Amino acid sequence: TSASNVREQKTFKYGNIRVNLFGRGMLGAESYTVNNLVLDNSVTTEYHQDFPLIGREKSTKSQVDVSLGSPITISESSLEWDATNSAPYRVTPDKQTSIDYEQSPHSSYAKTIADFTFDTYGNLTNKTVTLFDMLNSEAEVSEYTYSATYPFESGYNSVADWTISFAQSETESWSR
């Protein structure tokens, strides 16, 4: 195979690797970066190293033009967790934010922010999506509300009656 047929050439980088010296081996890394040398992009994911969140995702960032020395971020996300610090230990998602950057063929530059909120059981309760047109200073906001019904709270007797994260309402608005 010639070098011109190479589609991907990746390097992997681990940050702050934790190892248990008493027989359990590698416990994971605090960060993990994958660089694609052919496509000139990278994805870095960070993880929690604190109990009880060990191994849970903290954030992710995707970038392009890495080799030029000033990478451009094309997407990033963060995740917050709701955790109990005593037995029984319970870890559920609390909030998540995703940001995507996009440039269209017509030279407009857009930024999309999606915020997700979860209840104490980890079910989605609210989603807000904001689309910013960076060139025209315009924004579009969409709000989505979700409801969940639990059998032990509402008297239902079977799992078939248990509805989780059912879309309840949707609101869209523009601001300029």
Side-chain angles (χ1 to χ4, degrees):
T1 308
S2 69
S4 63
N5 291 336
V6 175
R7 293 185 182 187
E8 291 189 5
Q9 183 178 359
K10 295 181 180 180
T11 61
F12 301 87
K13 179 181 175 186
Y14 301 89
N16 196 19
I17 293 178
R18 296 185 71 185
V19 177
N20 181 297
L21 301 176
F22 299 102
R24 292 184 182 220
M26 188 170 129
L27 300 175
E30 187 173 29
S31 66
Y32 179 70
T33 302
V34 179
N35 289 313
N36 187 323
L37 305 174
V38 174
L39 299 177
D40 198 22
N41 66 9
S42 72
V43 177
T44 301
T45 306
E46 294 182 343
Y47 298 93
H48 283 277
Q49 294 288 307
D50 51 328
F51 183 80
L53 300 174
I54 295 172
R56 304 276 183 182
E57 184 178 318
K58 194 187 291 187
S59 65
T60 301
K61 182 182 278 191
S62 298
Q63 297 179 316
V64 294
D65 294 335
V66 178
S67 64
L68 298 176
S70 56
I72 300 168
T73 300
I74 56 173
S75 70
E76 52 191 322
S77 67
S78 64
L79 186 57
E80 297 176 22
W81 297 91
D82 182 21
T84 58
N85 289 321
S86 59
Y89 297 103
R90 178 180 50 86
V91 177
T92 57
D94 186 28
K95 293 180 183 179
Q96 180 179 4
T97 301
S98 298
I99 303 173
D100 294 305
Y101 304 91
E102 178 181 355
Q103 183 166 358
S104 75
H106 307 292
S107 298
S108 67
Y109 187 67
K111 175 176 157 182
T112 305
I113 301 174
D115 288 308
F116 302 89
T117 307
F118 302 87
D119 65 11
T120 55
Y121 301 106
N123 297 302
L124 181 65
T125 58
N126 190 33
K127 177 174 80 170
T128 303
V129 179
T130 307
L131 174 63
F132 294 99
D133 181 345
M134 307 299 277
L135 292 178
N136 298 316
S137 299
E138 296 177 349
E140 177 185 351
V141 179
S142 301
E143 294 257 353
Y144 305 89
T145 304
Y146 299 85
S147 64
T149 306
Y150 308 100
F152 49 85
E153 292 178 347
S154 45
Y156 292 126
N157 296 321
S158 71
V159 176
D161 295 327
W162 192 352
T163 306
I164 300 176
S165 296
F166 179 72
Q168 188 177 30
S169 66
E170 176 182 329
T171 307
E172 293 189 23
S173 62
W174 278 85
S175 60
R176 295 179 186 218

